[in-house]
Amino acid sequence: MIFRSKKTKSIKNSSKFSVLLIGLLALAMFVSVTAVYAAGQTEEAVDYSKYPEKPIQIIIPYNPGGGTDMLTRGIQKFVDLPFALINIVGASGLIGAEEATRAKPDGYTILGHNPHNFIGNKAVNVTDHYFWRELETICWIVEAKTLIATSAKTGWKTFEEMADYARKNPGKVKMGMIGTGIHLANALRMIEEMEADIVTVPYDGGAAEKAALLGGHIDLVLPSNEADIKPLVDSGDAIVLAIVSDSRSEFFPDVPTLKEMGYTGGAFSARGYYAPLGTPEPILTLLRQKFKEVSQNEDFIKYAYDQGMVVSFTDHIEANRISEEKYKQWQKIVDETGIKEY
Amino acid sequence: MNMFMEGLSYFTGNPTTLILLCFGVFFGLIFGCIPGLTATLGVILMTPFTFLMGPEQGLSMLIGIYVGGISGGLITAILINIPGTPSSLVTCWDGYPLAQQGYTGTALSLAVFSSLVGGLFSAFALMLIAPQLAKVALMFGSWEYFTLILLGLSVVTMLTASDPAKGLLAAFLGLLFGAVGMDKITGIKRLTFGFWQIEAGLAIIPILMGFFAIREILLQVEQFGGRKLQFLSTKEKKRPILPPKWTLKGGLMPAIIGCTIGTVIGMLPGVGQSTAAVMSYNQTKAFSKTPEKFGKGSTQGIIASETSNNAVNGGALIPLVTLGIPGDMVTAVLIGGLMIHGLQPGPMLFRTNPGLIGAIIIAYFLANIFMYIMEMGLLGVFIKIAKIPLSYLFTGILMTCILGVFAASNRYFDVLILFVFGIVGYVLDKGGFSFPPIVLGYFLGPLLESSFRISMISSRGNFSELFNRPMALFFFTAAIAMLVGPFASRMISNTIKLRHTKKFSKK
């Protein structure tokens, strides 16, 4: 290790070195520019048999680590298509969904979404978009249950215990939820039927909501799927009080539905995939085929179950029918609870 | 401990991760040693390219750049009296005089060794404190988040700005940039002016590249041709790998001061290396038996400066991994690196993905060791790199910026944002605004807003709920004191002066 002291020598070396460095930079730039150019070229090709020639970007409009995110990361493992996930988060998934409607319909951008969210958001008029009509449905992969859960620290074991406490202590119980859409309408309907006074607190992501539940800053959460809360129930940190959807959950068979207890309930949630309107039919057919194959893969079904999700494939025709039906039903609830001001 | 074993397995199981970490340190040292290029810029430039790596690989590389970038600044600080990164400014004060006395090699190895000590100290602090803090992090409710962010913003506003009013203005500008886009809860569009491209908010990468790369290029272009670097040569035949014993004499005290101040300053949201270095330099001088040597090549001064600015790195990672709040500007950019990989930093990440947190901590630990080996071994190379004319480098950086911005979003619009914010940054810089408040306002604004909103909604609009929360109340009071302090003291001193002059006029 001799410290170079001869000035002339080091100057000579430095010019050589800089030439080398510049050469390398130029080479790197040339390669990347040609790569971008080549990628641009394929979009004009009409031969779909080569699809996909580059990664297919899947927009996940929810926070990383959430249900849709985990599900898609699972599919990514079991499908022979090059998926790349991008989380565009916010406003109950509206921001990501809008991004998808504007994407080039070339099959290289698709959307993973919870259809109940955008149907609900249209029902409460948070958005002008009828996303289930403005996007091509690929399929639905998972049907989930909406639940009410509490932190183990509150000590409530059943829904009625919680309801009793809430009736006796107006304004004391706090319920977290994500966004303000149909979730809020359903919650308000339930609170109305409980004849209680519960504070509803909107969060912009599942992680913050769960951290608040564990920290005791809110008492109830209203996740729209089992996957969201199952790890916390397994670890003993949270307890499921009731199922807001109309049938019991495979994961918590002992927990009654709100309907059984005489409330309206009526929530519905699913996870599916969508493509921009105008995506070529051969690509849609291929994607539907691939997703169907994955949904029959035993390993994937097990993966999903471990994540707290029940795989059930719904094709695009059935999915669109359910979407229209739910939209009408929820519009009615929104009219009756009168949360339109939100 | 499990967490660290899992984190370590990322590196033992996959040599690519280790190579990327090495590359990151090397790349960081390059950015650190060239005056005009900063660690922040290095991390920003490489962030889009981590998109295709695994999260632990991408983060290892970014952390490598961070560590290398902060340490690399000492080379030019000692050899030409110009800090390679702003954080090494204080090293100039004693490093250059010592080098002038002919001890170039000694000064360099002492500074690099101090970097290692500071880095490793904060690595251990990170290992010990982060898991403990993560346990209590859940106690942090929305009120605590809101007030802590407010405190961080006011500290950075008041400490980094030359003029408190300009600091405030800069912070508000940052908050304004952060408010652009769809409201995260109700979906109402704000400040989008009809551009759908910014409905999801102003994207992180183009804004930061605009502020740090384009602005810097514009500023440096002004001085092209005028910059001649005079590198000091050395009388010493060999450069010692370990600093000689006489330099370490009396070095324990400055090392302890530097490490502690650095780590603590790092943990405070927002305040970074430069502040820590100045503070520990002054403290060391106050405690030193030979304060007269300071500024004339004191080894204690070098040790204080270099241990503290490197200790900030580990400290700054503590609130990042536990609360999701960045401890300094580079870690703010690291959040962007985490988000690209689909990870939301915060207390839940510690629960759901402890292996990754372990990997981040191990990466930081290893990066410091690689930094020492590389900086000592390849010093000659870095000195040559520091001599490369900026005109060549800037062409490459400009290209990388445009490619990186385009690659991150596939949108030409973001390239326009890059240039618009580059020019905005240049104008703000010329106007004497400091950038840490702008950048942290932009990063922390959305978090500040949502935590305030959640607080107010859950207490049904009752702000006095704050008084039931001692920790939040403490943060809030400190924040207000920080904000009002400079103005109040100025007012008081003005009135005193006024009285004084009145008395005089009466007499």
Side-chain angles (χ1 to χ4, degrees):
Chain A
M1 286 293 139
I2 294 168
F3 190 69
R4 291 190 196 284
S5 55
K6 286 178 188 163
K7 237 185 178 175
T8 47
K9 195 182 171 191
S10 61
I11 286 171
K12 224 187 218 170
N13 278 352
S14 96
S15 67
K16 235 187 233 169
F17 190 83
S18 56
V19 166
L20 185 74
L21 197 79
I22 292 157
L24 274 176
L25 265 176
L27 187 72
M29 250 144 239
F30 178 71
V31 169
S32 42
V33 167
T34 39
V36 169
Y37 183 69
Q41 287 286 296
T42 58
E43 283 159 16
E44 283 154 32
V46 209
D47 182 10
Y48 297 117
S49 64
K50 280 182 189 161
Y51 174 88
E53 288 179 280
K54 60 178 183 184
I56 303 168
Q57 213 174 39
I58 303 194
I59 297 176
I60 304 296
Y62 302 104
N63 267 327
T68 309
D69 187 73
M70 294 305 280
L71 178 73
T72 313
R73 281 175 207 279
I75 292 174
Q76 198 178 12
K77 273 183 214 157
F78 294 102
V79 82
D80 55 345
L81 290 174
F83 283 159
L85 273 68
I86 171 167
N87 299 74
I88 302 180
V89 187
S92 309
L94 287 183
I95 292 175
E98 280 197 20
E99 191 84 17
T101 59
R102 283 185 297 255
K104 218 182 243 177
D106 56 0
Y108 289 105
T109 308
I110 61 177
L111 169 76
H113 213 296
N114 304 354
H116 57 275
N117 256 339
F118 51 58
I119 300 170
N121 277 323
K122 180 70 198 90
V124 295
N125 276 321
V126 161
T127 174
D128 301 329
H129 292 278
Y130 296 84
F131 284 113
W132 66 101
R133 294 176 195 163
E134 292 170 30
L135 291 162
E136 296 278 5
T137 314
I138 296 170
C139 62
W140 290 354
I141 286 274
V142 162
E143 215 203 306
K145 310 287 181 213
T146 302
L147 321 159
I148 293 180
T150 181
S151 151
K153 284 178 204 152
T154 59
W156 301 321
K157 295 275 181 269
T158 65
F159 185 79
E160 278 309 323
E161 277 178 43
M162 184 274 292
D164 266 350
Y165 181 87
R167 277 189 283 263
K168 282 173 195 154
N169 300 281
K172 273 273 174 69
V173 178
K174 287 169 187 166
M175 179 193 284
M177 60 186 59
I178 299 169
T180 53
I182 192 68
H183 258 53
L184 184 63
N186 276 329
L188 288 179
R189 151 70 47 112
M190 183 190 82
I191 294 166
E192 201 180 281
E193 288 174 348
M194 279 165 71
E195 293 173 349
D197 179 14
I198 292 176
V199 185
T200 54
V201 186
Y203 283 80
D204 54 8
E209 185 200 28
K210 275 179 279 181
L213 179 75
L214 292 181
H217 308 290
I218 49 176
D219 309 296
L220 299 170
V221 286
L222 199 67
S224 58
N225 54 75
E226 297 102 316
D228 241 14
I229 199 75
K230 192 169 176 291
L232 294 184
V233 176
D234 290 345
S235 67
D237 290 312
I239 293 167
V240 180
L241 295 177
I243 313 287
V244 189
S245 304
D246 290 343
S247 56
R248 289 198 178 199
S249 159
E250 225 173 282
F251 293 98
F252 312 108
D254 302 331
V255 180
T257 64
L258 278 182
K259 215 173 188 177
E260 289 171 40
M261 292 185 270
Y263 297 93
T264 306
F268 137 87
S269 41
R271 297 179 193 284
Y273 293 88
Y274 292 81
L277 220 53
T279 304
E281 206 50 44
I283 290 179
L284 284 177
T285 314
L286 178 90
L287 287 172
R288 281 170 187 149
Q289 180 63 27
K290 292 282 182 190
F291 275 107
K292 189 163 190 178
E293 276 167 25
V294 172
S295 72
Q296 287 158 350
N297 182 329
E298 287 299 322
D299 292 329
F300 171 69
I301 293 174
K302 194 180 168 310
Y303 166 87
Y305 189 87
D306 290 342
Q307 300 290 330
M309 290 179 257
V310 179
V311 175
S312 91
F313 183 85
T314 312
D315 69 20
H316 59 286
I317 301 166
E318 178 69 3
N320 289 343
R321 190 189 65 75
I322 299 176
S323 301
E324 293 296 341
E325 186 188 303
K326 275 289 160 189
Y327 176 57
K328 277 189 200 122
Q329 192 186 332
W330 281 350
Q331 259 191 325
K332 207 170 144 247
I333 294 188
V334 169
D335 282 343
E336 284 167 14
T337 50
I339 68 152
K340 265 188 184 149
E341 307 88 72
Y342 283 87
Chain B
M1 257 6 245
N2 231 349
M3 181 177 111
F4 297 123
M5 294 314 288
E6 208 180 313
L8 193 63
S9 71
Y10 280 121
F11 295 93
T12 50
N14 192 351
T16 326
T17 319
L18 212 58
I19 294 168
L20 281 170
L21 179 65
C22 276
F23 171 75
V25 175
F26 182 73
F27 189 79
L29 282 168
I30 293 179
F31 270 70
C33 77
I34 299 174
L37 309 185
T38 58
T40 323
L41 178 62
V43 176
I44 296 167
L45 280 183
M46 290 316 275
T47 302
F49 300 100
T50 60
F51 191 63
L52 294 172
M53 306 171 192
E56 73 285 349
Q57 295 177 339
L59 278 166
S60 299
M61 191 171 85
L62 295 182
I63 286 173
I65 300 174
Y66 181 25
V67 171
I70 297 294
S71 176
L74 64 89
I75 300 174
T76 48
I78 290 171
L79 289 178
I80 51 177
N81 203 14
I82 296 172
T85 44
S87 58
S88 295
L89 177 70
V90 181
T91 310
C92 292
W93 298 348
D94 278 304
Y96 187 68
L98 188 64
Q100 271 179 323
Q101 292 159 28
Y103 297 111
T104 326
T106 308
L108 281 169
S109 52
L110 178 65
V112 177
F113 187 72
S114 305
S115 285
L116 177 74
V117 171
L120 287 185
F121 178 89
S122 68
F124 282 114
L126 175 65
M127 277 182 182
L128 291 174
I129 298 174
Q132 301 306 321
L133 191 62
K135 279 183 198 156
V136 295
L138 287 174
M139 282 165 53
F140 267 62
S142 48
W143 281 108
E144 282 80 10
Y145 267 97
F146 164 62
T147 47
L148 179 64
I149 293 167
L150 199 66
L151 174 62
L153 272 178
S154 29
V155 169
V156 77
T157 302
M158 290 308 154
L159 284 191
T160 57
S162 48
D163 178 356
K166 269 188 182 162
L168 267 181
L169 200 53
F172 282 126
L173 263 179
L175 291 174
L176 196 67
F177 294 147
V180 173
M182 235 187 231
D183 178 292
K184 293 269 193 291
I185 288 173
T186 62
I188 288 164
K189 290 165 194 166
R190 298 186 297 203
L191 300 169
T192 57
F193 301 103
F195 292 109
W196 62 265
Q197 291 95 332
I198 52 174
E199 270 174 20
L202 286 170
I204 297 171
I205 291 170
I207 285 216
L208 291 182
M209 281 190 177
F211 275 167
F212 289 94
I214 308 290
R215 167 180 67 112
E216 193 60 44
I217 292 174
L218 288 173
L219 285 172
Q220 298 278 349
V221 162
E222 289 180 358
Q223 308 166 7
F224 265 178
R227 179 168 168 272
K228 280 197 188 101
L229 302 181
Q230 284 289 324
F231 280 81
L232 288 178
S233 56
T234 176
K235 286 178 205 155
E236 291 167 303
K237 281 258 166 68
K238 280 187 176 179
R239 182 165 44 77
I241 295 204
L242 280 172
K245 267 188 186 157
W246 64 267
T247 56
L248 294 176
K249 213 175 141 196
L252 190 64
M253 183 270 297
I256 291 173
I257 291 181
C259 287
T260 327
I261 290 188
T263 310
V264 173
I265 287 279
M267 281 171 71
L268 273 180
V271 214
Q273 285 82 10
S274 315
T275 320
V278 173
M279 275 177 73
S280 46
Y281 186 84
N282 290 339
Q283 282 307 311
T284 309
K285 197 174 172 183
F287 279 106
S288 174
K289 282 174 194 159
T290 52
E292 70 281 358
K293 277 192 186 167
F294 277 70
K296 291 169 193 153
S298 162
T299 52
Q300 287 186 327
I302 298 178
I303 295 173
S305 165
E306 278 304 317
T307 47
S308 65
N309 67 20
N310 287 280
V312 168
N313 306 356
L317 285 170
I318 294 173
L320 176 79
V321 295
T322 52
L323 296 171
I325 297 174
D328 70 346
M329 207 144 61
V330 189
T331 36
V333 182
L334 278 180
I335 288 192
L338 271 163
M339 303 275 264
I340 265 194
H341 294 292
L343 298 157
Q344 179 83 38
M348 286 314 279
L349 187 64
F350 228 99
R351 286 180 78 98
T352 55
N353 212 339
L356 183 77
I357 302 284
I360 290 178
I361 296 173
I362 300 283
Y364 177 66
F365 192 85
L366 291 176
N368 274 294
I369 295 169
F370 286 146
M371 175 270 288
Y372 181 69
I373 298 171
M374 243 180 237
E375 205 168 352
M376 291 309 287
L378 302 173
L379 199 70
V381 176
F382 293 121
I383 293 173
K384 271 174 213 146
I385 289 173
K387 288 176 182 168
I388 298 177
L390 284 176
S391 43
Y392 296 136
L393 287 171
F394 283 158
T395 328
I397 288 172
L398 204 56
M399 281 296 282
T400 320
C401 280
I402 296 169
L403 274 176
V405 166
F406 191 77
S409 64
N410 274 317
R411 269 205 313 242
Y412 176 66
F413 187 85
D414 283 2
V415 179
L416 294 180
I417 293 190
L418 167 79
F419 283 105
V420 168
F421 275 85
I423 293 165
V424 168
Y426 176 73
V427 172
L428 288 175
D429 195 300
K430 284 280 147 186
F433 290 94
S434 59
F435 275 77
I438 303 182
V439 170
L440 283 152
Y442 164 71
F443 262 99
L444 296 176
L447 205 53
L448 183 78
E449 181 196 341
S450 75
S451 54
F452 178 61
R453 176 190 246 166
I454 289 168
S455 307
M456 290 307 275
I457 291 178
S458 64
S459 67
R460 294 211 159 146
N462 191 356
F463 193 76
S464 61
E465 171 72 16
L466 178 73
F467 296 98
N468 298 333
R469 294 171 165 271
M471 195 157 45
L473 188 63
F474 169 73
F475 291 148
F476 188 72
T477 325
I480 297 298
M482 205 66 209
L483 280 176
V484 179
F487 297 102
S489 71
R490 193 188 287 173
M491 248 165 69
I492 292 167
S493 66
N494 279 351
T495 41
I496 291 173
K497 254 188 224 158
L498 211 68
R499 265 187 213 160
H500 213 63
T501 45
K502 268 182 189 168
K503 266 183 200 167
F504 265 103
S505 57
K506 269 180 190 174
K507 277 178 188 174

